[in-house]
Amino acid sequence: MKIAVVSELFQPPFDEGCKVMNYYLTRVLKEKWLCKAFGPKHCTKIDIEVVRLRKTMVSRRLTNALKCFTPDILIYVPEAGATLYSFLRFKILQWMVKDAKVAMLSLQHRSYNSLEKMLILIIRPKKVFVMTDNMAIKLSSLRVPVGLIIAGV
């Protein structure tokens, strides 16, 4: 199985909670499966393929890199958690890898206004993993398929 992890958080040093979680997630995935990380900065510890991640995620280099890798699963870990813009970038990534299962891992709690809720309903993300029951309930109410990840420290 081939797994791609795309994240703005691949920026050493890995000294903040979200960066550390993303780093170890990718490291563990690489131990069991063929996993490739795509991010804005190079890191020899987990071999990140450097691609410019624009705000929209529209990038010829990222598209080509993902098409060459042909992942079975793509995991998107946004820097700011599950914001409306993260959902839009997530949708663009879904278009880039049509044959892959795509999931987002949100490491931060977010709130949504009425417009954002309506747009998230329209975007219809495939799967979002969150770290709190509260966030899982919030996204489930928007008919987003949710998985709960409990991080141990």
Side-chain angles (χ1 to χ4, degrees):
M1 179 181 317
K2 291 163 64 171
I3 302 171
V5 181
V6 178
S7 181
E8 302 96 340
L9 291 168
F10 287 126
Q11 296 187 46
F14 298 105
D15 57 355
E16 300 167 6
C18 293
K19 285 182 175 184
V20 170
M21 175 79 173
N22 197 34
Y23 169 79
Y24 281 105
L25 168 74
T26 305
R27 215 171 97 182
V28 168
L29 290 172
K30 283 180 178 258
E31 289 173 8
K32 292 198 157 252
W33 297 283
L34 179 57
C35 178
K36 196 165 198 174
F38 299 90
K41 301 271 186 185
H42 181 70
C43 173
T44 54
K45 290 182 180 180
I46 53 173
D47 189 30
I48 299 165
E49 183 166 334
V50 178
V51 289
R52 184 170 174 216
L53 299 177
R54 300 169 192 242
K55 294 282 184 194
T56 60
M57 257 332 142
V58 176
S59 160
R60 185 175 305 239
R61 183 160 181 189
L62 178 60
T63 302
N64 291 339
L66 289 171
K67 284 186 180 183
C68 286
F69 184 60
T70 62
D72 300 304
I73 298 172
L74 184 140
I75 302 169
Y76 172 49
V77 187
E79 184 175 15
T83 64
L84 174 62
Y85 296 108
S86 297
F87 281 111
L88 292 170
R89 288 188 290 273
F90 180 67
K91 189 66 168 180
I92 290 167
L93 287 168
Q94 285 178 318
W95 290 330
M96 285 183 189
V97 290
K98 292 181 170 109
D99 296 332
K101 293 178 181 175
V102 183
M104 180 165 55
L105 171 58
S106 175
L107 300 173
Q108 298 178 24
H109 183 78
R110 291 284 170 233
S111 297
Y112 306 105
N113 63 35
S114 303
L115 178 62
E116 290 171 328
K117 289 177 183 178
M118 183 184 72
L119 292 172
I120 291 168
L121 282 167
I122 292 169
I123 293 169
R124 300 191 58 188
K126 300 275 189 213
K127 186 77 169 186
V128 178
F129 290 93
V130 295
M131 298 185 70
T132 65
D133 289 327
N134 190 16
M135 193 65 187
I137 291 166
K138 194 174 286 190
L139 289 173
S140 292
S141 71
L142 298 173
R143 293 180 274 178
V144 173
V146 177
L148 188 61
I149 293 179
I150 306 298
V153 284

